[in-house]
Amino acid sequence: LNYKFLKTFYMDRKSPIDQGLLDGIRLMYPSLTSHYVTVLKEYIKWAEGAGETTVRECNDAEAAVSKAGEMILALTEFDLSEEAIKLAKKFKYCEALAVILVKQIDDAKQHSESRTISISEAEKHSEQCEAKKMQMGELMNKYGVEFAFHGYTQLLDVCGIQDVLDFPYGKRDFKT
């Protein structure tokens, strides 16, 4: 509901709704997403232990938990990428984390190669790109093959094979 509301009104700068209110709701979105995922996960733990719920109810909750990765990705649409990264790490949504980081890497790379910006701006974007690659490599080492698989898949899909081959920060055996 929060996503649909923001998608409808926040993106429309001519919206009749007060921009301050929309900004406030936007800033609450990461917290609401975090609470939502936490409640779902706690419900699943409780339901499994209590044995009083049906298998279908448990499956519905588990499906909602896996769909929460999409909610985390949606944060990036509202300029909340860093918050999305924090939530993806917190709940170990490796695929969402990989999508966000590779998008940031690609955006920084594209900006650094742009001919319409100054040399200092290009260097700044190039440094941001390198910092995000380092962060991705650290996450590969931290989360292992689960994150590395998604990271390299995204890198291949978005940036191409050469970027995968040239990626300096992951363990070599994750590439194969």
Side-chain angles (χ1 to χ4, degrees):
L1 182 62
N2 193 22
Y3 172 76
K4 288 180 182 177
F5 180 79
L6 285 174
K7 187 80 171 165
T8 303
F9 296 108
Y10 182 75
M11 300 302 205
D12 179 14
R13 296 296 177 183
K14 296 175 185 160
S15 170
I17 297 176
D18 178 55
Q19 196 62 39
L21 175 64
L22 290 171
D23 284 335
I25 292 170
R26 180 184 75 87
L27 294 175
M28 289 173 46
Y29 191 29
S31 176
L32 293 171
T33 302
S34 177
H35 291 307
Y36 176 75
V37 174
T38 301
V39 166
L40 284 173
K41 286 187 173 205
E42 288 300 315
Y43 172 75
I44 290 169
K45 279 185 203 173
W46 173 82
E48 288 172 346
E52 295 179 16
T53 58
T54 66
V55 172
R56 182 167 189 249
E57 289 172 326
C58 229
N59 288 342
D60 289 346
E62 287 174 356
V65 167
S66 43
K67 191 170 179 145
E70 295 172 22
M71 293 175 67
I72 291 171
L73 282 174
L75 293 171
T76 62
E77 294 179 41
F78 306 110
D79 300 321
L80 297 167
S81 294
E82 294 308 312
E83 290 83 350
I85 288 172
K86 288 177 188 170
L87 286 178
K89 286 180 185 178
K90 178 179 178 179
F91 295 111
K92 294 184 182 160
Y93 283 100
C94 292
E95 185 174 7
L97 189 54
V99 169
I100 296 163
L101 283 172
V102 170
K103 181 170 180 1
Q104 289 179 333
I105 288 168
D106 187 52
D107 288 349
K109 181 181 171 187
Q110 297 297 323
H111 288 326
S112 72
E113 294 172 351
S114 173
R115 299 188 194 283
T116 61
I117 61 173
S118 68
I119 293 173
S120 64
E121 287 233 8
E123 288 173 354
K124 182 182 116 188
H125 288 295
S126 184
E127 289 171 6
Q128 288 173 341
C129 180
E130 209 54 38
K132 288 297 174 182
K133 285 180 181 180
M134 285 178 65
Q135 183 180 11
M136 192 165 148
E138 290 168 4
L139 291 170
M140 286 179 178
N141 293 332
K142 180 177 181 178
Y143 296 119
V145 71
E146 184 181 0
F147 175 75
F149 171 78
H150 295 295
Y152 281 123
T153 300
Q154 281 299 312
L155 202 58
L156 180 63
D157 290 346
V158 174
C159 301
I161 188 70
Q162 196 59 50
D163 282 28
V164 171
L165 294 173
D166 293 342
F167 190 77
Y169 300 106
K171 289 183 179 176
R172 188 163 179 79
D173 51 336
F174 285 151
K175 288 183 188 178
T176 55

